[in-house]
Amino acid sequence: MSVTAAGAVGRGAHRLSLSRQARVLGLVVGIAMAVFILNSTLLANLEPPASTIHVPWWSFVLVFFVVEAFPIHVHIRSEAHTISLSELGLVLALYLVSPSDLLLAQLLGVAVALGLVRKHHP
C-alpha cells in the first residue's frame, strides 16, 4: 500500500513539473515573440547614437559571451555570491551600437555562454 502511495506522489510530482515546464516554455516563447515584434516595428528604424567611435555589433557578442561565461565568485564567510558583469557590456553597447544590434549581440553572446560554457539546457 505504501508503494502505491509513493508511486502516486511520484507521478503527481512529475505532472506538476511538466506543467511548470510548459509554463516556463510558454513564457520564453511569449517573450521571444514580443522581442521580435518590438525589434521589427519600433527598433528597426532607430539609429545608433551619434558617436565618432565605430564599433561593430559582433564585437559585443564577444563582450556578452565573456561576462556571462566567466562570472565572478565571491566568498564572504560561509556565503557564496556570483556576480555577472553583463551590465558593463550593456552600457557600452547602448552608446555605441543601434538598439536592434544590441539586442542581437546580447542574445547571441549570452546564449552561447550559457549553452557551451555553463552547460545550461535550453
Side-chain angles (χ1 to χ4, degrees):
M1 179 135 170
S2 64
V3 173
T4 306
V9 170
R11 284 192 298 265
H14 183 65
R15 272 190 235 133
L16 179 64
S17 67
L18 284 178
S19 172
R20 194 174 291 158
Q21 288 176 351
R23 288 187 300 200
V24 170
L25 182 62
L27 178 65
V28 168
V29 169
I31 290 173
M33 288 174 43
V35 166
F36 177 76
I37 291 168
L38 179 70
N39 191 23
S40 62
T41 58
L42 297 176
L43 299 180
N45 299 326
L46 292 178
E47 295 294 324
S51 174
T52 57
I53 301 171
H54 176 70
V55 179
W57 69 270
W58 54 264
S59 63
F60 284 102
V61 173
L62 298 174
V63 170
F64 286 118
F65 170 76
V66 169
V67 297
E68 280 296 325
F70 306 107
I72 298 172
H73 301 286
V74 179
H75 297 276
I76 302 173
R77 296 184 189 139
S78 64
E79 297 179 359
H81 300 276
T82 302
I83 302 168
S84 171
L85 299 175
S86 61
E87 291 83 9
L88 294 176
L90 183 62
V91 170
L92 287 173
L94 282 171
Y95 286 106
L96 297 174
V97 296
S98 69
S100 59
D101 289 345
L102 163 63
L103 197 61
L104 181 63
Q106 188 173 20
L107 178 69
L108 290 175
V110 171
V112 170
L114 292 178
L116 295 180
V117 177
R118 295 170 86 182
K119 307 287 189 216
H120 285 241
H121 297 288

